[in-house]
Amino acid sequence: MNSSWSNGRYDPFAGTVRIQPDEARLLREVVESYCGLRVGLDAPFFLERRVGPRLEALGMTSYRDYYHFLKYDPAGEAELVELVERLTTHETYFFRELYQLEAFRDDVLPELVERARRRKRILLWSAGCSTGEEVYTLAMILKEEPSLADFRVRVIGSDISRKVVARARQAYFGPSSFRAMDETYRKRYFQEVKGRFRLRDDVRSMCSFGQLNLMDTERFRVLGTCDAIFCRNVLMYLSPTARNRIVDGFYDALHPGGYLFLGHSESLLHVHTRFEIVQLEKDLVYRKPIEGSER
Ligand SMILES: C[S@@+](CC[C@H](N)C(=O)[O-])C[C@H]1O[C@@H](n2cnc3c(N)ncnc32)[C@H](O)[C@@H]1O
């Protein structure tokens, strides 16, 4: 074996810099403490595929050099953002997990409206919103709800990635975003522009977006107190410690009686939480208790 690449150097056969187990561990630690993202130690090819081109662009020949750059260079913090950008999955589409959205509309929303009847304001938060499809799906659902006619309704979307947040704000979507959406919604709310679809301004104006690392739980309070939080298909990529911290932050960001929606393959099974479980006809969701909800 060529010793120059067994040390985490350039592999001329694979055409990439090879990562060593100790380097993978270092990268994993730095990423996990920044954003909670858990990169498998057993996934060297994943790291090499996603991060290798970045090393080459920076002219580095080992992941250890890259780690030192992340940790100690003045440009390291900006590089961490770039690294996380490469490691995250941004897959999303309109009306994802429809049964859950129906449960929200039919079972949860009437309760939230009733509870908010004095303040006449409803605030939803899509945490880890990617390119915005979840945010705009919720806005369309709220738009169709007659009981909210005289309410001030807002949907906030946040994501750690500035790139996806910028795309979400633009509100232009390609065909794959519509794979689970009823045609009538597309016709009602979107205008075709050169093979892409632009969302109507009245729905866009119900929504706002911001960059937010969910590990920065102290920043949650700038959003305002929420009636429901959707954090779907995000926590499954994070470490147990990160999940605990974030779920705790969500609890504090909700009104008493507010709801937390997770993705269908996610649960709070191993999370120490103050949320109560509510079994709806079509879904199982989490609610902040109405009584005794203050710490
Ligand atoms: C698979 S997408 C989910 C999008 C949408 N919620 C859905 O279910 O369709 C996961 C998103 O979570 C974001 N994310 C991952 N870790 C995060 C963190 N620590 N803070 C904020 N966003 C994060 C990623 O950037 C990505 O856009």
Side-chain angles (χ1 to χ4, degrees), residues 88-263:
T88 39
T89 306
H90 300 301
E91 163 81 358
T92 187
Y93 47 91
F94 291 111
F95 286 87
R96 187 175 193 175
E97 289 160 30
L98 182 64
Y99 71 95
Q100 191 176 48
L101 298 166
E102 287 173 348
F104 166 70
R105 182 195 60 199
D106 301 338
D107 300 336
V108 170
L109 194 54
E111 190 183 315
L112 297 180
V113 171
E114 175 58 22
R115 208 168 292 130
R117 68 185 180 286
R118 276 211 212 110
R119 61 182 143 93
K120 296 253 178 250
R121 271 204 316 264
I122 291 279
L123 178 64
L124 305 185
W125 175 20
S126 160
C129 67
S130 187
T131 40
E133 284 87 336
E134 185 173 76
V135 175
Y136 294 131
T137 296
L138 293 170
M140 286 184 273
I141 291 172
L142 296 180
K143 185 96 188 149
E144 304 255 317
E145 187 50 53
S147 62
L148 289 171
D150 59 344
F151 273 56
R152 184 174 145 71
V153 172
R154 296 217 53 78
V155 188
I156 295 174
S158 71
D159 201 282
I160 195 167
S161 160
R162 278 184 211 286
K163 284 186 192 161
V164 293
V165 165
R167 280 180 55 197
R169 285 199 184 106
Q170 285 169 358
Y172 275 94
F173 298 95
S176 75
S177 296
F178 296 90
R179 71 189 93 152
M181 180 158 142
D182 194 298
E183 186 76 358
T184 50
Y185 274 101
R186 194 174 58 65
K187 289 193 173 132
R188 196 175 302 154
Y189 290 109
F190 292 83
Q191 187 193 7
E192 192 169 349
V193 186
K194 294 181 188 158
R196 290 174 66 76
F197 298 89
R198 186 169 191 275
L199 183 65
R200 251 171 45 184
D201 281 343
D202 58 337
V203 181
R204 280 184 72 191
S205 66
M206 295 164 66
C207 307
S208 42
F209 294 91
Q211 191 269 347
L212 175 69
N213 179 355
L214 291 173
M215 291 294 272
D216 293 340
T217 48
E218 308 78 39
R219 284 185 65 206
F220 289 6
R221 69 172 71 99
V222 302
L223 304 175
T225 313
C226 302
D227 294 280
I229 297 173
F230 288 75
C231 185
R232 305 192 301 166
N233 309 300
V234 179
L235 297 183
M236 61 198 270
Y237 299 107
L238 308 188
S239 70
T241 312
R243 277 184 230 160
N244 268 309
R245 179 185 171 92
I246 293 167
V247 167
D248 220 34
F250 287 156
Y251 187 94
D252 294 334
L254 282 165
H255 284 293
Y259 282 83
L260 172 64
F261 289 83
L262 303 177

